[in-house]
Amino acid sequence: KGKACKKQFFGDKKEKKGDKKEKKGDKEEKKEEVTADANAENGEGEGNPGANPHPTLEEGSPEYNVIAERNALDMILYNYITLLFSEQKVVIDAYASMQEQNVQL
């Protein structure tokens, strides 16, 4: 499979040098197709066509509590990150405000 992908992506080494110039555009198209296919398989790209839908859970629901309990360390980390983000936002907003005042002077 690896050799077939390599051959599809890079072409056959037995090509004539004159043909390589003409087929360069074809290789770019193939590269884009392979990348798009890989992204779709990984759930990436526009609209995440390969992603599986997941139901949303309300905080405090039994399902939420079970997941939170099983992922307690992740929940602690998430809460810390959101706190840190809000604290940094205050600092950045204050800095931006100071910059605007300096520009106006």
Side-chain angles (χ1 to χ4, degrees):
K1 184 176 180 179
K3 288 181 181 181
C5 289
K6 184 177 176 182
K7 185 175 180 180
Q8 178 186 5
F9 187 75
F10 293 107
D12 195 358
K13 287 185 176 183
K14 296 177 184 176
E15 290 181 321
K16 296 177 184 176
K17 289 187 179 184
D19 292 342
K20 283 188 179 182
K21 290 180 183 176
E22 294 173 9
K23 294 191 178 188
K24 187 174 183 179
D26 293 339
K27 287 182 186 178
E28 290 299 319
E29 287 177 20
K30 286 180 186 177
K31 181 179 178 182
E32 290 173 6
E33 289 173 11
V34 170
T35 303
D37 291 344
N39 287 342
E41 288 175 11
N42 294 329
E44 300 171 359
E46 290 184 10
N48 293 335
N52 295 322
H54 298 288
T56 55
L57 302 175
E58 281 191 44
E59 192 169 339
S61 70
E63 296 87 359
Y64 180 92
N65 292 335
V66 168
I67 293 171
E69 184 179 322
R70 289 187 181 181
N71 299 298
L73 295 177
D74 290 332
M75 296 299 290
I76 292 168
L77 179 61
Y78 174 78
N79 289 328
Y80 174 71
I81 290 169
T82 55
L83 173 68
L84 187 63
F85 179 79
S86 62
E87 290 174 353
Q88 288 178 345
K89 183 179 183 330
V90 171
V91 171
I92 291 170
D93 288 345
Y95 179 78
S97 175
M98 287 177 12
Q99 292 298 321
E100 287 177 6
Q101 290 174 1
N102 287 339
V103 171
Q104 292 175 359
L105 296 176

